[in-house]
Amino acid sequence: MIDVLRWFVVLEVLGLIGLPFAFAMFRRLPDRGWSISKPLGILLVSYLWWLLGLTGIIPNSTSVLICIVVLMGITSALLVIKFNQWRALTTFVRSEAWTIALVEVLILAFFMGWVLIRAHSPSIHGTEQPMDFAFLNSIIHSQSFPPNDPWLAGHPISYYYFGYLIMGSITMLSGVASSVGYNLALATVAALAAGATFGLVYNLVRLSRGSSDAAAVSGMASVVLLLVAGNLEGVLEFIHASNLGSIWFWSWVGIDGL
């Protein structure tokens, strides 16, 4: 559980780093970019980490990543000061406290939901999961970028790897094992997708002169349709992961097939 907490704390810190940037870039949106502040913060830190790693001069290490986070945190603070965002931020938080709370609860709920699903079935096997895990480990342990190919020594990965690099940065910052980070990364994708989906629909409804309540209901419905009703495989896997659920499920399938 401590690994989950450390991972989520890193997500929150990176979200705070991305908030001033989102607040300035999306000032015309009703939610001022709050719903995508976490993905934006993660992107900013990991992109700078990637650029420095490409130089081959600055080694790939956790200490370098921490320095990047501190640097980006200072930049975010300066952005707030330079553009006098503090008063606007506090006013926005007070006026949109319900929406902000809804986004945060939604992200946390999907994150913890997928953590529970992966806790029932944490093994990394099947389809492309071994390859994904190999790339994640390669990024964490390579001295520079492009990372080393896990199957062809002396050569870089000949594949798009930036998504693995993003999750590798959170894994290193949180200090969790790569096997734990792999599973928490899956939960993170679901959680951030839920927040971004809600924000997109919420903003569209509000910009179409819909009420805050209508926008919130529409945003929640979009999340359910996209991440739950649109893909019930996760529900089936969760049922299958439990021994009792597995027996019930396969018995039901067998009876139904007759």
Side-chain angles (χ1 to χ4, degrees):
M1 190 62 186
I2 189 64
D3 288 341
V4 176
L5 179 60
R6 287 158 61 181
W7 183 282
F8 198 77
V9 167
V10 171
L11 290 183
E12 289 296 323
V13 170
L14 296 178
L16 289 175
I17 290 175
L19 180 58
F21 293 94
F23 198 77
M25 293 168 61
F26 303 103
R27 60 183 181 274
R28 296 184 182 275
L29 296 181
D31 79 338
R32 297 298 294 267
W34 187 287
S35 57
I36 60 170
S37 58
K38 287 182 178 63
L40 182 58
I42 296 170
L43 177 62
L44 291 172
V45 169
S46 57
Y47 186 69
L48 182 55
W49 178 44
W50 177 63
L51 290 179
L52 293 176
L54 286 176
T55 64
I57 300 174
I58 300 177
N60 172 28
S61 65
T62 302
S63 58
V64 170
L65 256 175
I66 293 174
C67 290
I68 293 173
V69 170
V70 172
L71 176 63
M72 293 305 300
I74 294 173
T75 304
S76 294
L78 292 176
L79 186 64
V80 172
I81 296 171
K82 181 175 177 57
F83 292 95
N84 196 24
Q85 286 186 339
W86 182 249
R87 179 173 296 181
L89 268 169
T90 54
T91 301
F92 168 76
V93 170
R94 285 196 297 266
S95 62
E96 298 290 339
W98 169 247
T99 303
I100 292 171
L102 190 57
V103 171
E104 293 301 315
V105 169
L106 188 65
I107 290 174
L108 179 60
F110 269 82
F111 179 76
M112 292 307 300
W114 275 101
V115 165
L116 290 175
I117 291 174
R118 293 301 299 180
H120 279 79
S121 181
S123 57
I124 304 171
H125 68 84
T127 63
E128 295 184 353
Q129 292 188 43
M131 182 195 77
D132 296 336
F133 188 48
F135 283 3
L136 178 64
N137 280 289
S138 179
I139 287 167
I140 292 173
H141 296 292
S142 293
Q143 292 299 308
S144 61
F145 300 134
N148 298 323
D149 193 311
W151 291 292
L152 189 60
H155 293 267
I157 289 178
S158 181
Y159 195 77
Y160 43 89
Y161 61 86
F162 192 72
Y164 305 99
L165 184 140
I166 290 175
M167 294 307 169
S169 67
I170 306 175
T171 302
M172 293 174 66
L173 286 170
S174 60
V176 303
S178 59
S179 57
V180 176
Y182 178 89
N183 286 295
L184 293 179
L186 298 178
T188 300
V189 171
L192 298 184
T197 301
F198 174 87
L200 174 62
V201 176
Y202 177 87
N203 286 317
L204 288 174
V205 174
R206 286 286 302 275
L207 290 173
S208 301
R209 300 183 181 180
S211 65
S212 297
D213 291 341
V217 171
S218 299
M220 292 292 292
S222 67
V223 173
V224 173
L225 290 173
L226 181 64
L227 299 179
V228 181
N231 183 10
L232 296 177
E233 176 63 21
V235 177
L236 299 180
E237 289 182 2
F238 179 74
I239 294 174
H240 180 60
S242 167
N243 290 332
L244 180 61
S246 178
I247 295 172
W248 173 86
F249 175 73
W250 291 114
S251 298
W252 177 81
V253 171
I255 294 171
D256 185 65
L258 296 175

